[in-house]
Amino acid sequence: EAGVVQSPRYKIIEKKQPVAFWCNPISGHNTLYWYLQNLGQGPELLIRYENEEAVDDSQLPKDRFSAERLKGVDSTLKIQPAELGDSAVYLCASSLGGTGTTGETQYFGPGTRLLVL
Amino acid sequence: AQKVTQAQTEISVVEKEDVTLDCVYETRDTTYYLFWYKQPPSGELVFLIRRNSFDEQNEISGRYSWNFQKSTSSFNFTITASQVVDSAVYFCALSEAPGGSYIPTFGRGTSLIVHP
C-alpha cells in the first residue's frame, strides 16, 4: 500500500514569491494534517482536515498561508508571499478519521523542504 | 495545556549498547494517547508505537521496548543492542481525547547516533 505522497521534496524560492505544496494521503484516510517542522524542533500542527472540512486551523497564519482539500482527498498548502522565516520542512500526514477518533495514529509523508532566500 | 519534554537533545552510543530515550509529558486529561516516532535522515516520520492512558503495560517489540509510568508521567523508549540503522531523531508525542485540545503535541526530539 502506498504511503503519504508529497511533492515537491525540495523547493528554493526568493522571498515574496508564492509557493505551493501538494499532498496525497493514504487511500481511505479521511483525516489529513499539515505540519511545520523547524530545524531541531518537533512538528507543529498547521491545519487538520476531516474530509474536505478544516476542523483545526488555529495554528495557520492566515495572512499568508492557505490550504484546501476540495474533494476530500488531495490537499494543497500555499504560502503567498513567502518570508525568510518560512524556511522549514512542511510535513503532511493522514489517519483513518471518523467521529471521536482523536489520538489516532498518523502516517507521515517525506515532507517538503523549503528554503526562502 | 499539554506538553511533552524530551530532555536529551542528543545521545551518542557505540553499536550493541542499550540506550533509553526519555519522554515526560503533562496533561490535565485523564484520557490521552502517547506516541513514539522515528525520523531518519530521509525526513519521513515513521510510527513506532501508540499507547492510551489506560494501558500501562510495558511493551516489547524486537529490540524496542517502552516503559509507561503514569505516576511519573513518563513514557520512555529503550533500544536494546543498538545498531547503526537506529541512528535517527526520535520524537515522543501526546494527543488528548475528545473534549480536550485535539492538537497533538510533539517533543523537540532526541537525536540518537549509533557508532559502528
Side-chain angles (χ1 to χ4, degrees):
Chain A
E1 181 180 311
V4 176
V5 179
Q6 288 188 249
S7 69
R9 291 295 312 276
Y10 304 93
K11 189 73 177 180
I12 301 174
I13 61 171
E14 293 188 349
K15 63 180 181 181
K16 299 186 182 180
Q17 294 299 306
V19 64
F21 315 124
W22 175 81
C23 173
N24 179 246
I26 292 173
S27 178
H29 280 195
N30 297 315
T31 307
L32 184 145
Y33 316 75
W34 281 104
Y35 286 88
L36 165 70
Q37 186 177 22
N38 287 306
L39 189 64
Q41 304 286 327
E44 298 173 24
L45 185 71
L46 289 173
I47 189 168
R48 174 172 72 103
Y49 282 94
E50 289 288 348
N51 298 302
E52 57 275 353
E53 181 184 0
V55 293
D56 265 324
D57 64 355
S58 58
Q59 310 298 312
L60 190 72
K62 298 181 182 64
D63 57 335
R64 297 183 300 107
F65 286 65
S66 64
E68 60 182 16
R69 194 184 184 200
L70 294 176
K71 296 183 180 179
V73 180
D74 295 1
S75 177
T76 302
L77 177 68
K78 298 178 182 177
I79 308 175
Q80 183 170 11
E83 296 179 352
L84 295 177
D86 296 331
S87 295
V89 177
Y90 292 82
L91 294 164
C92 180
S94 70
S95 64
L96 278 172
T99 303
T101 51
T102 60
E104 282 195 312
T105 297
Q106 300 175 31
Y107 296 90
F108 285 79
T112 295
R113 193 174 298 272
L114 173 67
L115 179 59
V116 182
L117 302 175
Chain B
Q2 56 191 45
K3 183 179 176 182
V4 176
T5 301
Q6 294 181 257
Q8 303 150 309
T9 304
E10 182 177 298
I11 300 176
S12 184
V13 300
V14 177
E15 210 170 17
K16 298 184 183 178
E17 283 186 33
D18 298 348
V19 57
T20 295
L21 310 180
D22 298 334
C23 174
V24 175
Y25 62 92
E26 294 177 32
T27 179
R28 294 181 179 180
D29 246 343
T30 55
T31 303
Y32 50 89
Y33 299 85
L34 294 162
F35 303 82
W36 275 96
Y37 284 87
K38 174 183 180 180
Q39 188 174 40
S42 60
E44 183 173 337
L45 272 83
V46 177
F47 166 74
L48 296 178
I49 190 171
R50 171 181 181 261
R51 177 53 53 88
N52 75 59
S53 53
F54 297 108
D55 182 4
E56 283 194 77
Q57 270 194 330
N58 291 331
E59 182 154 339
I60 299 175
S61 177
R63 296 184 297 107
Y64 295 171
S65 62
W66 290 269
N67 184 358
F68 178 27
Q69 292 196 343
K70 289 178 74 172
S71 60
T72 55
S73 297
S74 66
F75 186 42
N76 296 337
F77 173 32
T78 297
I79 302 175
T80 303
S82 59
Q83 299 177 2
V84 173
V85 293
D86 295 328
S87 297
V89 180
Y90 291 86
F91 291 95
C92 180
L94 166 70
S95 183
E96 292 175 331
S101 168
Y102 170 72
I103 299 174
T105 300
F106 283 78
R108 296 182 65 165
T110 296
S111 177
L112 174 64
I113 302 169
V114 182
H115 299 281

